[in-house]
Short mmCIF file of all heavy atoms in Angstrom, two decimals:
data_model
loop_
_atom_site.label_atom_id
_atom_site.label_comp_id
_atom_site.label_asym_id
_atom_site.label_seq_id
_atom_site.Cartn_x
_atom_site.Cartn_y
_atom_site.Cartn_z
N ALA A 85 -11.24 8.43 4.03
CA ALA A 85 -12.31 8.20 5.00
C ALA A 85 -11.73 7.89 6.38
O ALA A 85 -12.33 8.25 7.40
CB ALA A 85 -13.20 7.05 4.53
N CYS A 86 -10.58 7.25 6.42
CA CYS A 86 -9.97 6.86 7.69
C CYS A 86 -9.60 8.07 8.54
O CYS A 86 -9.77 8.05 9.77
CB CYS A 86 -8.73 6.00 7.43
SG CYS A 86 -7.49 6.78 6.36
N VAL A 89 -12.53 9.75 10.58
CA VAL A 89 -13.14 9.09 11.73
C VAL A 89 -12.18 8.86 12.90
O VAL A 89 -12.61 8.51 14.00
CB VAL A 89 -13.76 7.74 11.33
CG1 VAL A 89 -14.84 7.94 10.29
CG2 VAL A 89 -12.70 6.76 10.83
N CYS A 90 -10.89 9.05 12.69
CA CYS A 90 -9.93 8.81 13.79
C CYS A 90 -10.13 9.85 14.88
O CYS A 90 -9.97 11.06 14.65
CB CYS A 90 -8.50 8.86 13.27
SG CYS A 90 -7.28 8.53 14.57
N PRO A 91 -10.47 9.43 16.10
CA PRO A 91 -10.78 10.38 17.17
C PRO A 91 -9.57 11.07 17.79
O PRO A 91 -9.72 12.05 18.52
CB PRO A 91 -11.51 9.53 18.21
CG PRO A 91 -10.93 8.16 18.03
CD PRO A 91 -10.68 8.03 16.55
N GLY A 113 -6.23 2.09 19.30
CA GLY A 113 -6.72 0.77 18.95
C GLY A 113 -8.22 0.67 18.80
O GLY A 113 -8.78 -0.43 18.91
N CYS A 114 -8.90 1.76 18.51
CA CYS A 114 -10.36 1.72 18.37
C CYS A 114 -10.81 1.08 17.06
O CYS A 114 -11.94 0.65 16.91
CB CYS A 114 -10.96 3.12 18.52
SG CYS A 114 -10.57 4.24 17.15
N ARG A 115 -9.91 1.07 16.06
CA ARG A 115 -10.14 0.45 14.75
C ARG A 115 -11.25 1.13 13.94
O ARG A 115 -11.81 0.55 13.02
CB ARG A 115 -10.43 -1.05 14.90
CG ARG A 115 -9.33 -1.79 15.64
CD ARG A 115 -9.52 -3.29 15.66
NE ARG A 115 -10.75 -3.72 16.28
CZ ARG A 115 -10.98 -3.75 17.59
NH1 ARG A 115 -10.01 -3.35 18.43
NH2 ARG A 115 -12.12 -4.17 18.08
N MET A 116 -11.56 2.37 14.28
CA MET A 116 -12.54 3.13 13.50
C MET A 116 -12.05 3.33 12.06
O MET A 116 -12.83 3.31 11.12
CB MET A 116 -12.80 4.49 14.16
CG MET A 116 -13.59 4.42 15.46
SD MET A 116 -15.29 3.91 15.17
CE MET A 116 -15.93 5.39 14.36
N CYS A 117 -10.75 3.50 11.90
CA CYS A 117 -10.19 3.70 10.56
C CYS A 117 -10.39 2.45 9.71
O CYS A 117 -10.67 2.54 8.51
CB CYS A 117 -8.71 4.06 10.65
SG CYS A 117 -7.68 2.83 11.52
N MET A 118 -10.27 1.29 10.32
CA MET A 118 -10.47 0.04 9.59
C MET A 118 -11.92 -0.11 9.14
O MET A 118 -12.21 -0.58 8.04
CB MET A 118 -10.06 -1.15 10.46
CG MET A 118 -8.59 -1.16 10.84
SD MET A 118 -8.12 -2.56 11.89
CE MET A 118 -8.20 -3.90 10.69
N ALA A 119 -12.84 0.30 10.01
CA ALA A 119 -14.26 0.20 9.69
C ALA A 119 -14.64 1.18 8.58
O ALA A 119 -15.49 0.89 7.74
CB ALA A 119 -15.10 0.46 10.93
N ALA A 120 -14.02 2.35 8.57
CA ALA A 120 -14.37 3.39 7.60
C ALA A 120 -13.74 3.17 6.24
O ALA A 120 -14.30 3.59 5.22
CB ALA A 120 -13.97 4.77 8.13
N CYS A 121 -12.59 2.51 6.19
CA CYS A 121 -11.87 2.32 4.93
C CYS A 121 -12.65 1.39 4.01
O CYS A 121 -12.99 0.27 4.39
CB CYS A 121 -10.48 1.75 5.20
SG CYS A 121 -9.55 1.39 3.68
N ARG A 127 -5.59 -2.49 5.95
CA ARG A 127 -5.13 -2.18 7.30
C ARG A 127 -5.19 -3.43 8.16
O ARG A 127 -6.05 -4.29 7.95
CB ARG A 127 -5.99 -1.09 7.95
CG ARG A 127 -5.77 0.30 7.38
CD ARG A 127 -6.78 1.31 7.93
NE ARG A 127 -6.48 2.66 7.48
CZ ARG A 127 -5.83 3.55 8.22
NH1 ARG A 127 -5.44 3.24 9.44
NH2 ARG A 127 -5.56 4.75 7.74
N VAL A 155 -3.22 -0.06 14.95
CA VAL A 155 -3.51 -0.32 13.54
C VAL A 155 -2.29 0.08 12.72
O VAL A 155 -1.61 1.06 13.02
CB VAL A 155 -4.74 0.49 13.07
CG1 VAL A 155 -4.98 0.30 11.58
CG2 VAL A 155 -5.98 0.08 13.86
#
Side-chain angles (χ1 to χ4, degrees):
C86 56
V89 299
C90 181
C114 69
R115 304 187 301 284
M116 289 291 289
C117 58
M118 297 179 72
C121 177
R127 287 172 174 262
V155 175

